[in-house]
Amino acid sequence: MTEKTLIVNALAAKTWYWLKMNDTSVRVQRPEPLAVAAEGEVSPAAEPLACVTGMGEELTGLLAESPATRMRVDAKAGGAQTVRLHLAPNSGATEAAVVDVHAAEGADLTLVMDCDRPAGAKGATVIAQTRLQLGKGAKVRLIQLWLNRGQDVVLNDIGAVCGEKADFALSQIYLGAEKVYAGAEIALEGAKSQTEVRQTYQAEKNQRFDFNDNVRHIGRKTVCRIDVSGVLNDGASKLFRGTIDLQKGAVGADGAEYENVLMLGEAASNQTIPLILCSEEDVKGNHGATIGRLDEGLLFYLTSRGLSEEQVCEMIASARLNAACEALGDPRAACQVMAYANIDAPCGEDRDDA
Amino acid sequence: MEEKTRVDDIDRSMYDIRNEDRDAYRLGAGLTPELVEQLSREKGDPDWMREFRLKSLEIYNQLPVPDWGPSIEGLDMDKIVTYVRPNTKMQGEWSEVPQDIKSTFDALGIPEAERKYLAGVGAQYDSELVYHNLRKEVAEQGVVYLDFESSLRSEYADMVREHFMTLVPPTDHKFAALHGAVWSGGSFVYVPKNVEVEIPLQSYFRLNAKGAGQFEHTLIIVDEGAKLHFIEGCSAPRYNVANLHAGCVELFVRKGASLRYSTIENWSRNMYNLNTKRATVAEGGTMEWVSGSFGSHVSYLYPMTILRGEKSRMEFTGITFAGHDQNLDTGAKVVHSAPNTSSYINTKSISKGGGVSTFRSAVVVGANAKGSRSAVSCQSLMLDDISRSDTIPAIDVRTPDADVGHEAQIGRISDESVFYLMSRGISEEEARAMIVSGFADNVSKELPMEYAIEMNNLIRMEMKGSIG
């Protein structure tokens, strides 16, 4: 059992060290293979897909020299295809899986990955790296549900390269785990390629989430939108790094990132650093962030109708999660999240759109 | 035709006036304990200051060069002369200032500005002040405005020692330590309780000596209920070797007091501007920064405000214009350390001709800053495809009882706006200059009119030849 300290989630452009946002160091053991149950066609990976990922080279290096589970998903043109991967780590272990996705020209793939751990399970360290190559006009929706009860540590690393007119949608929901380190690097290389990143999290107790999203606009008329929304309860903390990198040649590119953080816990803390890097004239880049308490007007309105402040907070948090589930576009995944969160909402066969 | 006349009116040559080096004394280049001791002897420092300088030098030698901002590889400290004393003592009358130095300040419009709308002026030439004056009626209000060296020997010496480099300690970063070791010149201002200084004070810093550094220290204390507007201007002629500016500004805003600190910085394009400015604000106090950064080859400039008292507030309004051969890394920092504090940061940046402009900020809301609010807005304009513009805003919130908002946009001048103005008979160059001036309106409307005109002239000068 060798343990290594990795530097992960490095900010695309460094800033003051005293803010402690430039990167994160994490100690992990050399991982063993992670059990992955697949629904849909997968195959063992042969050649690793070369791709820059959000968490960085040190994690990729660790995975390269470890016996991680490696698999490949091939999506071809000719109709929508869905693959589901259920990650099942052993309690107390450090395990990893690397998934390479090749989406050919005109392919349409929905890949759902979940890590839904039973209550009371002893903590595990789960490492997942997903690398995607999208061909011309390919469409890939990657849905990830991190529903790790208890003391788990999650390292979730993504790298995607999008060809001309490719469309990559990434939806992530983080509800459990004691610590989450997640990075996504998306290269919009082809003209008119686009991506939408939607991250939703709810943290409580002393949960710590550490995110790093980086979208590189390389091709002309590329479009990205990053939406991050979360609730911090108790003494939970979160660091979000989000970068829109409008590179030279990305004429007509349009990048936007928005973050909304609802801080409910007295000891909660939030760090946000949304970057726009720009070396092209004819582009648009926007970011906005709203961080703080519940809107006073809304709180007054709801408490005046007989709800306690605690009930209002719960209701708002549930509503946010509900909205994120709706946006997944996959009823089965939505139901899984609602069940985990004990939210009483129409689900599965009860749903009109099921 | 009118456009051309306006541009000619602000010929850059007024900033490029270069006098012969006829200094009375200059230290050898580089940084050693012996040179620092020599500087201290030349300035007649009290013992504590000499020890402070030597300790700062030790810290300087231990701290790393920052690796997160623009490259300062072109700055060789072994070649920088840290102290150049001009060939005159400080005067209280412009007529007594040597002609070549006076001509420089005349060209920059300082004596005229003093006559028209300033309560007092300090003019520094290289490492020492050559002129310092305060209007009689302002002095009679009890306002103290001294050159820094005199303040150390004045009845305010204890007050100066109590505050000197406490807000910006030498351990803060490498160039704060450098400043602690070799500071020279600058001003001390004390505004007594409940005194409102109706018209601004101004310090102007001129660095004439080739290959030299300027390290002036500005310490301002605005006592309870008092009010002050302080203006800082700076420029230098262009040389083909690096010059360095590592000044330090420490501002103490007491309970219920108000301070506005305005800067129009127009250093020459061989200047490394590694300046540190910091303010602390007590209960109910207000700190306002107005900042225009136009010059220098490389800038690191992020005025910081610590909102230490309940209901204290800060506002930062800034503009940065990075042209050819400039890498300007500017922004602001604010720390909310008390309940019900508020901050507002509003910046604009423009990149042109291969210039690099970076907006960098930090908003930190501590656990005890309940009920606090902060808003940051930064807008960047790219004028061509060979320039660069980055925004790096950090937010750290440690209490749920706060509201923090942030917004940023990067874009270009819309073709529609240029077309609209051109269809009304305005040339394309003039149309683009007008749009950029309008973009900078947030800063110019916060400046006294004469300074707003100077700033708009600088923008027009930078925009000259921007077509094609």
Side-chain angles (χ1 to χ4, degrees):
Chain A
M1 292 282 190
T2 51
E3 201 170 48
K4 254 186 140 169
T5 299
L6 305 178
I7 302 297
V8 298
N9 285 352
L11 197 61
K14 275 185 186 175
T15 191
W16 299 294
Y17 285 89
W18 60 271
L19 289 166
K20 296 184 168 61
M21 294 185 184
N22 282 333
D23 51 41
T24 298
S25 66
V26 54
R27 285 188 73 79
V28 288
Q29 290 178 343
R30 183 170 179 268
E32 298 296 320
L34 173 63
V36 181
E39 282 180 48
E41 199 173 325
V42 298
S43 57
E47 287 297 309
L49 208 160
C51 178
V52 177
T53 61
M55 291 188 70
E57 288 176 0
E58 293 196 10
L59 179 65
T60 300
L62 177 76
L63 291 171
E65 61 191 37
S66 74
T69 300
R70 294 171 204 284
M71 57 178 56
R72 175 181 168 120
V73 177
D74 280 293
K76 297 179 178 64
Q81 182 185 345
T82 300
V83 173
R84 294 179 193 275
L85 301 176
H86 173 65
L87 314 184
N90 284 304
S91 293
T94 297
E95 296 171 340
V98 179
V99 179
D100 285 347
V101 177
H102 296 255
E105 185 175 335
D108 184 346
L109 171 71
T110 300
L111 174 61
V112 184
M113 298 170 71
D114 80 88
C115 189
D116 191 347
R117 299 259 287 146
K122 192 180 164 197
T125 298
V126 190
I127 306 173
Q129 188 177 64
T130 311
R131 303 178 297 205
L132 307 100
Q133 184 88 50
L134 282 72
K136 186 176 176 182
K139 194 172 175 182
V140 174
R141 284 170 302 282
L142 174 59
I143 297 171
Q144 292 190 318
L145 313 178
W146 293 96
L147 312 174
N148 306 60
R149 290 175 173 86
Q151 306 297 304
D152 286 0
V153 174
V154 169
L155 285 80
N156 180 29
D157 191 23
I158 292 169
V161 180
C162 299
E164 187 184 337
K165 292 183 184 171
D167 181 354
F168 176 52
L170 172 63
S171 297
Q172 297 174 312
I173 294 181
Y174 294 93
L175 297 183
E178 187 177 82
K179 289 177 183 164
V180 171
Y181 307 93
E185 171 108 6
I186 299 164
L188 299 173
E189 285 187 354
K192 295 186 181 175
S193 57
Q194 60 179 338
T195 189
E196 183 177 20
V197 177
R198 195 179 279 270
Q199 282 175 317
T200 306
Y201 62 88
Q202 295 199 351
E204 58 182 13
K205 296 177 184 164
N206 290 316
Q207 278 181 282
R208 168 76 182 164
F209 290 174
D210 188 300
F211 298 128
N212 185 34
D213 294 340
N214 189 2
V215 177
R216 284 183 287 136
H217 291 259
I218 301 163
R220 295 166 72 91
K221 295 186 178 176
T222 48
V223 177
C224 98
R225 183 181 169 105
I226 301 172
D227 252 306
V228 181
S229 170
V231 180
L232 296 172
N233 290 293
D234 307 323
S237 61
K238 182 231 75 183
L239 164 55
F240 169 69
R241 305 172 188 87
T243 301
I244 294 173
D245 185 359
L246 299 153
Q247 299 190 355
K248 192 161 172 60
V251 177
D254 187 347
E257 59 180 311
Y258 301 102
E259 194 192 13
N260 189 298
V261 186
L262 181 57
M263 294 181 70
L264 297 179
E266 270 306 304
S269 67
N270 175 75
Q271 292 171 289
T272 294
I273 184 156
L275 277 61
I276 302 180
L277 310 177
C278 179
S279 47
E280 177 57 58
E281 179 197 11
D282 184 11
V283 292
K284 279 191 222 164
N286 288 282
H287 63 68
T290 309
I291 299 151
R293 56 197 161 189
L294 208 54
D295 178 68
E296 280 174 20
L298 179 66
L299 185 62
F300 176 76
Y301 177 83
L302 291 170
T303 51
S304 69
R305 269 143 188 82
L307 293 172
S308 69
E309 197 169 324
E310 195 179 4
Q311 286 173 314
V312 172
C313 290
E314 269 178 32
M315 193 173 82
I316 298 296
S318 296
R320 285 182 172 221
L321 192 56
N322 208 349
C325 288
E326 289 287 338
L328 289 176
D330 184 274
R332 188 169 145 188
C335 285
Q336 193 177 351
V337 176
M338 300 299 243
Y340 177 92
N342 287 323
I343 294 175
D344 186 18
C347 206
E349 291 176 358
D350 298 333
R351 288 169 60 103
D352 293 338
D353 59 346
Chain B
M1 190 62 197
E2 190 190 0
E3 177 270 333
K4 188 173 184 308
T5 305
R6 281 191 222 160
V7 171
D8 284 350
D9 284 345
I10 42 86
D11 188 340
R12 189 168 193 108
S13 60
M14 80 177 194
Y15 299 106
D16 284 335
I17 297 166
R18 191 187 294 184
N19 295 330
E20 264 183 59
D21 286 347
R22 282 203 294 251
D23 41 82
Y25 177 81
R26 70 166 58 201
L27 218 53
L31 268 177
T32 62
E34 292 72 30
L35 283 169
V36 170
E37 292 231 39
Q38 199 178 334
L39 168 63
S40 190
R41 272 197 303 277
E42 282 296 323
K43 296 189 73 67
D45 282 343
D47 288 348
W48 71 268
M49 183 59 83
R50 183 178 55 82
E51 284 160 21
F52 189 94
R53 287 182 188 277
L54 291 169
K55 182 69 190 164
S56 296
L57 180 64
E58 275 179 36
I59 296 166
Y60 171 82
N61 287 326
Q62 288 160 9
L63 291 175
V65 173
D67 66 350
W68 44 265
S71 169
I72 51 170
E73 276 182 7
L75 178 65
D76 182 353
M77 280 310 299
D78 290 337
K79 292 183 178 160
I80 292 287
V81 177
T82 53
Y83 182 70
V84 180
R85 189 167 66 223
N87 194 17
T88 178
K89 289 191 171 158
M90 194 183 70
Q91 309 295 343
E93 296 288 339
W94 280 110
S95 58
E96 292 166 7
V97 174
Q99 191 55 44
D100 56 342
I101 298 176
K102 182 177 174 296
S103 297
T104 302
F105 285 109
D106 275 338
L108 294 165
I110 307 303
E112 188 189 358
E114 182 186 15
R115 281 194 299 276
K116 284 184 176 171
Y117 49 81
L118 292 173
V121 163
Q124 179 158 339
Y125 192 83
D126 294 333
S127 299
E128 298 285 357
L129 269 88
V130 294
Y131 174 83
H132 211 273
N133 192 28
L134 181 65
R135 280 194 191 188
K136 190 168 165 245
E137 61 270 29
V138 180
E140 283 171 357
Q141 286 180 290
V143 174
V144 178
Y145 183 31
L146 297 171
D147 66 287
F148 208 83
E149 284 78 358
S150 298
S151 76
L152 287 170
R153 292 184 280 273
S154 72
E155 59 185 295
Y156 296 93
D158 289 344
M159 186 188 274
V160 173
R161 182 176 180 179
E162 190 186 324
H163 293 85
F164 179 76
M165 291 203 84
T166 53
L167 263 185
V168 183
T171 48
D172 207 69
H173 58 81
K174 194 169 185 71
F175 295 96
L178 173 66
H179 178 89
V182 298
W183 75 269
S184 180
S187 302
F188 167 70
V189 180
Y190 172 71
V191 185
K193 281 184 186 175
N194 301 317
V195 169
E196 294 194 9
V197 184
E198 300 288 343
I199 49 177
L201 297 179
Q202 183 183 24
S203 281
Y204 199 95
F205 304 106
R206 177 73 181 175
L207 181 54
N208 181 70
K210 185 178 180 180
Q214 195 170 59
F215 308 94
E216 83 289 347
H217 194 90
T218 303
L219 172 59
I220 299 177
I221 299 168
V222 187
D223 216 332
E224 292 182 12
K227 192 174 178 183
L228 175 70
H229 183 184
F230 192 88
I231 300 173
E232 175 194 78
C234 25
S235 67
R238 180 167 188 154
Y239 292 107
N240 56 2
V241 296
N243 277 47
L244 169 64
H245 177 234
C248 179
V249 175
E250 297 183 290
L251 310 173
F252 294 83
V253 182
R254 302 286 191 227
K255 187 176 175 182
S258 175
L259 173 60
R260 170 173 285 211
Y261 195 94
S262 302
T263 307
I264 296 292
E265 178 269 300
N266 189 30
W267 291 116
S268 57
R269 304 264 168 105
N270 58 313
M271 180 68 83
Y272 287 80
N273 182 34
L274 313 173
N275 210 9
T276 309
K277 299 180 180 183
R278 197 161 295 169
T280 179
V281 190
E283 184 184 340
T286 299
M287 179 68 221
E288 295 174 307
W289 302 92
V290 181
S291 178
S293 294
F294 293 88
S296 75
H297 173 53
V298 167
S299 262
Y300 283 65
L301 183 61
Y302 328 95
M304 181 176 191
T305 310
I306 301 159
L307 298 172
R308 228 181 268 284
E310 188 161 1
K311 292 186 181 170
S312 55
R313 68 181 194 92
M314 76 79 86
E315 201 167 303
F316 178 92
T317 308
I319 184 158
T320 297
F321 196 128
H324 174 66
D325 202 27
Q326 289 187 284
N327 192 336
L328 307 185
D329 201 301
T330 60
K333 297 183 267 191
V334 59
V335 177
H336 293 252
S337 290
N340 301 311
T341 48
S342 63
S343 63
Y344 178 49
I345 297 171
N346 179 13
T347 70
K348 306 280 177 80
S349 64
I350 301 157
S351 305
K352 173 183 164 285
V356 179
S357 168
T358 300
F359 168 74
R360 195 182 297 272
S361 68
V363 173
V364 177
V365 183
N368 61 340
K370 297 193 184 309
S372 294
R373 291 169 190 273
S374 176
V376 179
S377 170
C378 59
Q379 291 177 293
S380 304
L381 199 55
M382 291 278 286
L383 296 185
D384 55 44
D385 61 0
I386 56 170
S387 303
R388 184 173 179 88
S389 181
D390 296 340
T391 67
I392 308 176
I395 302 166
D396 189 336
V397 183
R398 306 272 162 165
T399 174
D401 190 8
D403 288 317
V404 179
H406 174 87
E407 60 174 20
Q409 290 95 37
I410 286 183
R412 64 195 287 237
I413 294 176
S414 78
D415 293 339
E416 291 80 6
S417 303
V418 175
F419 178 76
Y420 176 84
L421 291 168
M422 288 175 71
S423 69
R424 271 138 188 85
I426 296 166
S427 72
E428 184 180 352
E429 184 169 295
E430 180 72 354
R432 288 169 71 87
M434 282 174 75
I435 291 166
V436 172
S437 290
F439 181 73
D441 189 46
N442 67 319
V443 174
S444 58
K445 75 183 182 191
E446 296 295 334
L447 289 167
M449 191 199 295
E450 293 77 3
Y451 293 88
I453 291 168
E454 184 193 350
M455 195 193 84
N456 280 328
N457 285 342
L458 283 168
I459 289 172
R460 284 173 183 279
M461 187 161 59
E462 296 292 347
M463 292 298 292
K464 185 73 179 158
S466 65
I467 309 296

